[in-house]
Amino acid sequence: MKDNSRVHFGYVVAFLILIIIIIGTIRLGDDANLVQYMSFALTLTSLVLALLAIVYAFFSNNQFSSNINALSGVTEEVKKASKGLSNLSDNITESINRIPKHLEDVKKETQVASEAILQMKKGESINEEDDGTNKNLSDIQLDSYLKTGSFWGLITLYAVNKYFEKKEWFEIKKFIDNNENREYAYGYFISSSAIGIFEYSVKENKFFIDRMNDYVAAQIDKVLQDTIDGYTTDDDGTNQYKKIFDEVNNKL
């Protein structure tokens, strides 16, 4: 059997409300002050609601201002991040554009070293009047080797000569931070030693220069300076070779 108690309860409540309304109308219908009471109550209610609206608007406005400030801060962070990404992209592009030049430099240095080694094997670079302390490379060949050398190759020879003068053990990473340039410097270091420009000892990944070619020691500063002076400055007038040389020289 279906339970209709809720329906009947609803009917009873509605009927009672109707009776209350009828009784209230009869009792209050003759009251002349009822309209005034109602008007006063409505006016008071309106004032309370208006006050609540003002308070709500005040706090809402403060919250809105805080949200605007937070949004502005986030916008600035986004702008900074975007600028950082743009700079990173430019640096990556610049590094990629330098790769062909570095490869060309490596190819050139390898070719020069190969030619010098080949000449030594054929005996073309032997000067019988020399006492053997410089492995008998002619000044002409050494001059050609220096003048065709790359900037980082000359930086490497410059550092080698400085450490030879100071008689100190050293690591190449001490004065060259960039991995790419450091690997290139290692290659130039080995090839220059192979053709007799200097001799070195190794201990615990550190080098010690036992002998340095006299001609190279006397000319490296001038050749490196000529290479720096020959660099085309940037738009802002900066000579990047000079800047790098100063940084390296401060670490020696």
Side-chain angles (χ1 to χ4, degrees), residues 87-247:
N87 293 336
L88 178 61
S89 177
D90 292 340
N91 291 336
I92 292 175
T93 301
E94 184 179 352
S95 298
I96 292 175
N97 291 336
R98 287 202 303 264
I99 289 176
K101 183 179 183 302
H102 285 304
L103 291 177
E104 185 65 27
D105 290 340
V106 171
K107 180 180 178 181
K108 183 187 298 183
E109 300 305 330
T110 303
Q111 182 178 359
V112 171
S114 299
E115 291 176 354
I117 293 172
L118 182 62
Q119 289 177 354
M120 290 177 64
K121 289 181 178 180
K122 293 180 177 179
E124 296 176 2
S125 61
I126 296 178
N127 181 354
E128 295 181 355
E129 295 180 358
D130 197 297
D131 61 2
T133 58
N134 290 326
K135 288 207 173 178
N136 302 315
L137 290 173
S138 69
D139 291 350
I140 295 177
Q141 291 170 327
L142 291 171
D143 188 68
S144 175
Y145 184 79
L146 291 176
K147 290 183 178 179
T148 57
S150 66
F151 171 71
W152 281 107
L154 296 176
I155 283 286
T156 304
L157 287 180
Y158 174 83
V160 166
N161 187 49
K162 289 299 180 184
Y163 282 114
F164 173 70
E165 292 174 351
K166 295 191 293 184
K167 303 299 181 184
E168 290 183 3
W169 291 85
F170 68 95
E171 295 179 275
I172 293 180
K173 67 180 181 181
K174 178 181 178 181
F175 57 90
I176 300 181
D177 298 327
N178 181 274
N179 288 332
E180 180 182 347
N181 294 330
R182 186 164 59 243
E183 293 298 327
Y184 177 82
Y186 274 119
Y188 199 95
F189 181 91
I190 298 301
S191 64
S192 298
S193 174
I195 63 175
I197 290 181
F198 59 85
E199 294 178 356
Y200 66 92
S201 301
V202 182
K203 182 176 66 176
E204 297 179 353
N205 296 324
K206 292 186 177 181
F207 301 107
F208 185 86
I209 307 303
D210 300 308
R211 181 193 60 80
M212 186 74 185
N213 182 280
D214 294 335
Y215 183 82
V216 173
Q219 295 295 319
I220 184 60
D221 289 16
K222 180 180 182 304
V223 175
L224 179 56
Q225 187 60 52
D226 290 343
T227 301
I228 294 173
D229 294 340
Y231 176 82
T232 303
T233 57
D234 297 340
D235 295 337
D236 60 357
T238 303
N239 186 324
Q240 291 295 336
Y241 279 3
K242 178 67 166 57
K243 180 179 178 181
I244 294 172
F245 171 75
D246 290 340
E247 293 175 355

Side-chain angles (χ1 to χ4, degrees), residues 1-16:
M1 182 175 178
K2 187 176 181 180
D3 185 7
N4 295 323
S5 59
R6 291 188 177 183
V7 176
H8 296 309
F9 177 78
Y11 290 153
V12 172
V13 171
F15 182 72
L16 291 175

